[in-house]
Amino acid sequence: MDWSALSVSLRLAAFTCLILLPIAIWLGRSLAYARFRGKGLCEALIALPLVLPPTVLGFYLLLSFGRDAPVGSFWAAMTGSGLNFTFTGILLASLIANLPFAVQPIQRAFEHVPHNLREAAWCSGLSPWQTLLRIELPLMWPGIMSAAALTFAHTLGEFGVILMVGGAIDGETRTLAIAIYDRVQAFDEQGAAQMSALLLLVSFITLGLVYGLAGRRRWVRG
């Protein structure tokens, strides 16, 4: 087991979930309730990482994070350092790559909250913020859990985007998925098999959690 790569992967997955979930709740709620021109375009833009090859997304992010690009130059002016080949860079790339995995389950959960229930909360004197905290979030927690599980698992297994943006710097940007690739290139099949088994186990547990929560939601609604 490459413990350094595992540590980087776990830190990346944890930070991605912590940062992305509040953003996904705001975006998911806005897309679920709002009706505006261009909504389909916004949903397509969020879902784009699902169909775009990871190396293509990573290539565009690599260009965007460069010091000659607006994003990269702004970051360099603010912090004095670049984004490419740093942990911060792969974290930003992970946030973008995982956006649909976080937003879509939360959006679907908000869409299943009855509108008359929210109206009743408003008539009872609750503000929109209180309605969100006391009514909506308790009802849609399976969606939030599904989003967190999918985001965490997908981050652990992400390869193309992270490799393009971060390279394979040990202890900084070299994740478990990249370590598996390196072990295969070095003909270390046993090491690659051990790390692959760990990712397989995490993926299986994640899917079991997601489908279990989805089944529980259908049972409660029924």
Side-chain angles (χ1 to χ4, degrees):
M1 181 62 64
D2 190 329
W3 298 108
S4 176
L6 177 60
S7 174
V8 172
S9 293
L10 291 176
R11 284 195 294 122
L12 181 63
F15 280 121
T16 299
C17 288
L18 289 175
I19 296 173
L20 193 54
L21 283 180
I23 299 173
I25 290 174
W26 173 73
L27 281 174
R29 189 174 188 271
S30 300
L31 291 173
Y33 296 154
R35 298 292 182 268
F36 58 91
R37 182 176 298 177
K39 178 181 176 181
L41 183 61
C42 292
E43 292 178 322
L45 187 62
I46 291 174
L48 192 59
L50 290 175
V51 297
L52 199 63
T55 51
V56 174
L57 177 60
F59 172 73
Y60 283 117
L61 291 177
L62 181 68
L63 295 181
S64 300
F65 292 169
R67 289 180 179 268
D68 295 331
V71 175
S73 61
F74 173 77
W75 183 265
M78 295 294 293
T79 65
S81 61
L83 283 173
N84 287 327
F85 310 110
T86 65
F87 182 82
T88 303
I90 64 173
L91 176 58
L92 290 177
S94 179
L95 294 175
I96 296 172
N98 283 285
L99 196 60
F101 295 95
V103 172
Q104 290 185 352
I106 291 177
Q107 179 183 349
R108 300 296 174 259
F110 271 118
E111 289 173 348
H112 283 88
V113 176
H115 182 68
N116 57 2
L117 191 61
R118 296 189 297 122
E119 291 180 340
W122 297 336
C123 292
S124 300
L126 295 181
S127 66
W129 181 250
Q130 290 174 322
T131 302
L132 171 65
L133 294 178
R134 299 173 60 179
I135 304 298
E136 295 174 353
L137 291 183
L139 289 175
M140 53 158 298
W141 70 267
I144 297 176
M145 291 295 297
S146 296
L150 288 173
T151 300
F152 190 87
H154 183 259
T155 303
L156 285 182
E158 181 56 54
F159 176 77
V161 173
I162 303 302
L163 183 62
M164 292 291 289
V165 174
I169 303 174
D170 192 29
E172 181 74 15
T173 63
R174 187 168 180 265
T175 62
L176 200 60
I178 297 175
I180 293 172
Y181 177 79
D182 290 341
R183 292 292 177 89
V184 172
Q185 292 294 304
F187 301 101
D188 182 5
E189 295 183 358
Q190 182 178 358
Q194 291 177 353
M195 291 183 285
S196 297
L198 176 60
L199 289 183
L200 176 62
L201 179 62
V202 171
S203 299
F204 180 77
I205 293 175
T206 299
L207 289 177
L209 177 63
V210 171
Y211 283 109
L213 290 173
R216 177 183 175 84
R217 189 190 314 168
R218 288 193 296 267
W219 181 81
V220 171
R221 290 180 59 201

